[in-house]
């Protein structure tokens, strides 16, 4: 674990202890299970967002993609009678296509990631609303998919399957990002894309792959959310999810400039955000202030991280200057 991860883990424990002291219902089995389920659901697309952020990019269309693919998935299995494994494959293929499109627009046409994904946010939300004629996509009375519901929304030994899926994705993502050549290339591109290109890295392929991975995990997240909510209202489903994913990644140590971060940090960031959300609910704070409370905490965390980083940099600089002074004194002696 990085030093930032350890600090964030301590913060998570402290916040958990405070929440438990403020309201003991936090530790009730039902509340813990519900919170864990939400951690799993929101964690999937937060890790997805991290793969793009580490390259110095941004993905603002996550929420709209979740809405669009959720609508398509429900329509395929509930209206058209498509077998759910086939529908899942179709949704994931569409997700990969969206990621490939974004990556090519960024690398080939040299468009800004912010512009590309902001346009995607608007386009996919609009398509989802047009697809349903601004209605709600859901299951008709009596519709039942026991195998799918068990795999996606069920529990094993009291643990929600969304948490298990999140844990598996986190482990694989940690290995890919921190223990493979591809992961080192992602960090290198984020640090300095031009230097990475001159060192022989195919930067275009790396960036496109990051967007494809991001959308692939987002597609998986869309299926989990569709089965969790049992209905999708395209006008509101997935709203601000991209900001949640960005916040979790930033809290986890990912720099929006690229080249920094860890998957463990993202996991801890997701847990912290959901604990804060749970605290807001348990304290009876109006839901209209949820985002204000979370935004304030995130801002405070980022400011603290920036100040600590600047402090450590000053300490390193002072230590280096002291060594130079000692070396100069020794050579004169």
């Amino acid at each position: 674990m990085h030093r930032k991860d350890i600090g964030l883990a301590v913060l998570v424990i402290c916040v958990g202890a405070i929440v438990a002291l403020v309201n003991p219902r936090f530790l009730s089995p039902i509340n813990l299970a519900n919170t864990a389920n939400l951690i799993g659901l929101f964690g999937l697309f937060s890790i997805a967002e991290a793969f793009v952020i580490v390259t110095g990019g941004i993905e603002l269309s996550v929420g709209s993609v979740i809405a669009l693919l959720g609508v398509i998935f429900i329509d395929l299995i509930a209206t058209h009678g498509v077998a759910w494994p086939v529908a899942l494959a179709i949704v994931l293929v569409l997700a990969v296509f969206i990621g490939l499109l974004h990556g090519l627009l960024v690398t080939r046409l040299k468009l800004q990631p912010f512009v590309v994904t902001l346009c995607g946010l608007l386009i996919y939300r609009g398509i989802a609303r047009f697809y349903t004629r601004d209605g709600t996509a859901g299951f008709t009375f009596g519709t039942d998919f026991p195998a799918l519901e068990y795999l996606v929304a069920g529990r094993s030994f009291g643990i929600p399957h969304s948490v298990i899926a999140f844990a598996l994705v986190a482990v694989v993502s940690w290995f890919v990002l921190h223990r493979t050549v591809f992961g080192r290339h992602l960090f290198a591109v984020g640090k300095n894309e031009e230097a990475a290109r001159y060192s022989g890295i195919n930067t275009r392929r790396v960036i496109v792959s990051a967007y494809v991975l991001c959308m692939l995990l987002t597609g998986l997240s869309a299926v989990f959310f569709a089965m969790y909510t049992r209905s999708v209202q395209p006008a509101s489903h997935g709203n601000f999810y991209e900001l949640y994913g960005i916040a979790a990644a930033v809290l986890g140590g990912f720099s929006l400039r690229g080249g920094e971060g860890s998957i463990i940090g993202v996991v801890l960031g997701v847990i912290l955000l959901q604990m804060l959300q749970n605290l807001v609910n348990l304290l009876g704070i109006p839901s209209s202030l949820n985002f204000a409370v979370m935004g304030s905490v995130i801002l405070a965390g980022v400011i603290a991280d920036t100040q600590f980083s600047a402090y450590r940099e000053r300490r390193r600089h002072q230590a280096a200057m002291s060594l130079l002074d000692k070396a100069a004194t020794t050579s004169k002696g």
Side-chain angles (χ1 to χ4, degrees):
M1 291 179 67
H2 298 163
R3 185 174 298 177
K4 287 184 178 180
D5 297 340
I6 296 174
L8 187 56
V10 172
L11 180 59
V12 168
I13 294 172
C14 291
V15 171
I18 292 172
V19 175
L21 289 174
V22 170
N23 195 324
R25 285 186 300 168
F26 174 73
L27 296 178
S28 67
I30 294 177
N31 185 66
L32 290 177
N34 291 335
T35 303
N37 187 41
L38 291 174
I39 288 172
L41 291 171
F42 283 82
L44 289 173
F45 66 79
S46 296
I47 290 178
E49 190 74 58
F51 274 105
V52 172
I53 291 177
V54 76
T55 66
I58 199 75
E59 180 53 80
L60 298 176
S61 65
V62 165
S64 296
V65 170
I66 287 175
L68 175 59
L69 296 183
V71 163
I72 293 174
F73 182 75
I74 289 179
D75 187 51
L76 287 174
I77 64 175
T79 305
H80 299 286
V82 177
W84 70 263
V86 177
L88 175 61
I90 292 172
V91 164
L92 294 181
V93 169
L94 288 174
V96 168
F97 174 77
I98 292 172
L100 184 63
L101 176 63
H102 289 184
L104 291 176
L105 288 173
V106 170
T107 57
R108 296 292 180 178
L109 297 186
K110 302 298 181 183
L111 300 180
Q112 289 293 327
F114 183 91
V115 174
V116 171
T117 58
L118 178 61
C119 292
L121 179 152
L122 300 173
I123 291 170
Y124 305 135
R125 181 75 62 183
I127 293 175
R129 296 180 67 173
F130 176 79
Y131 189 92
T132 62
R133 298 181 182 179
D134 233 359
T136 300
F139 297 103
T140 57
F141 179 76
T143 305
D144 191 25
F145 301 94
L148 175 62
E149 290 174 2
Y150 173 73
L151 287 174
V152 177
R155 297 180 181 181
S156 293
F157 307 104
I159 302 175
H161 288 172
S162 61
V163 175
I164 297 175
F166 175 42
L168 291 175
V169 168
V171 170
V172 174
S173 299
W174 177 86
F175 179 80
V176 170
L177 193 60
H178 301 292
R179 290 293 183 270
T180 66
V181 173
F182 174 67
R184 290 196 291 272
H185 287 177
L186 286 172
F187 280 108
V189 170
K191 278 290 186 182
N192 191 319
E193 183 179 349
E194 187 175 356
R197 186 184 303 114
Y198 283 126
S199 66
I201 297 174
N202 189 332
T203 55
R204 287 181 175 179
R205 184 182 299 171
V206 171
I207 293 173
V208 170
S209 298
Y211 280 95
V212 169
L213 275 173
C214 177
M215 284 295 104
L216 180 63
L217 292 178
T218 301
L220 181 63
S221 181
V223 173
F224 272 87
F225 271 105
M227 296 306 298
Y228 172 69
T229 60
R230 301 285 297 179
S231 65
V232 176
Q233 171 51 257
S236 58
H237 188 77
N239 273 347
F240 299 113
Y241 282 10
E242 57 279 340
L243 300 184
Y244 186 102
I246 293 170
V250 171
L251 278 177
F254 279 84
S255 170
L256 293 177
R257 293 184 296 271
E260 297 178 23
S262 75
I263 296 298
I264 294 176
V266 177
V267 173
L268 293 172
V270 173
I271 294 173
L272 179 59
L273 287 177
Q274 279 304 321
M275 288 175 62
L276 291 173
Q277 181 70 49
N278 196 241
L279 174 62
V280 169
N281 295 333
L282 291 175
L283 292 179
I285 297 175
S287 59
S288 56
L289 290 176
N290 281 358
F291 287 110
V293 172
M294 293 174 64
S296 300
V297 173
I298 292 168
L299 179 61
V302 172
I303 291 174
D305 179 67
T306 302
Q307 294 302 312
F308 280 127
S309 296
Y311 172 74
R312 288 195 296 268
E313 187 63 31
R314 288 195 300 270
R315 290 291 301 271
R316 283 196 292 266
H317 180 72
Q318 291 173 357
M321 293 301 296
S322 297
L323 289 175
L324 288 175
D325 290 341
K326 288 181 180 179
T329 303
T330 304
S331 62
K332 288 180 181 178

